[in-house]
Amino acid sequence: QVQVEESGGGTVQAGGSLRLSCAPSGRNFKRFNIAWFRQAPGKEREFVGAIRLMYGHTYYADAVKGRFTISKDNAQNTVYLQMNSLTPEDTAVYFCAMDTATILSSIRSPSGYKSWGQGTQVTVSS
């Protein structure tokens, strides 16, 4: 089982920025598909964005497109979620998830990932 090391998060005012980090334990970093999901109180877990490290392709939910950016640092074996222009609607627990066998049709689904981080709280105040 891959260990997911997740960090970042915190509280920021509307319009501000935060960056989350996610790294898998072990080797074979480039084989991973890494996604971010979020879950607000009383709501279902929703897809935020993903990256297929083998191809460098990124995918974003419409709600965050143009504001959030996923990037990778191969030397650090780390993926980042840069979140800009945050709004109170972005308040949620953010989860990093990863898998080496995610099929393209499941890239936006929690079922496409076997390994999950513990989640980190992002709070945006108005």
Side-chain angles (χ1 to χ4, degrees):
Q1 184 78 5
V2 175
Q3 298 298 313
V4 179
E5 301 173 6
E6 187 178 338
S7 62
T11 300
V12 66
Q13 288 191 327
S17 299
L18 284 173
R19 189 178 77 165
L20 306 183
S21 302
C22 181
S25 62
R27 296 175 288 181
N28 299 319
F29 176 69
K30 292 184 179 180
R31 292 182 57 195
F32 281 98
N33 305 296
I34 296 180
W36 295 93
F37 292 83
R38 67 185 182 185
Q39 188 165 18
K43 294 188 176 181
E44 292 188 355
R45 191 167 297 189
E46 66 172 354
F47 174 76
V48 175
I51 183 169
R52 302 178 77 194
L53 291 174
M54 181 73 74
Y55 309 103
H57 296 167
T58 54
Y59 309 82
Y60 297 97
D62 288 343
V64 307
K65 201 172 293 183
R67 299 187 299 122
F68 290 13
T69 303
I70 295 175
S71 62
K72 60 184 175 72
D73 184 336
N74 289 332
Q76 298 294 325
N77 283 3
T78 300
V79 167
Y80 301 99
L81 177 66
Q82 178 67 41
M83 304 183 293
N84 298 329
S85 302
L86 286 161
T87 74
E89 288 69 36
D90 295 315
T91 296
V93 177
Y94 283 69
F95 297 90
C96 177
M98 55 184 69
D99 203 301
T100 57
T102 311
I103 59 176
L104 188 57
S105 60
S106 296
I107 202 78
R108 298 169 184 266
S109 170
S111 65
Y113 305 88
K114 288 194 289 290
S115 300
W116 289 77
Q118 76 283 2
T120 185
Q121 178 70 45
V122 171
T123 301
V124 185
S125 61
S126 58

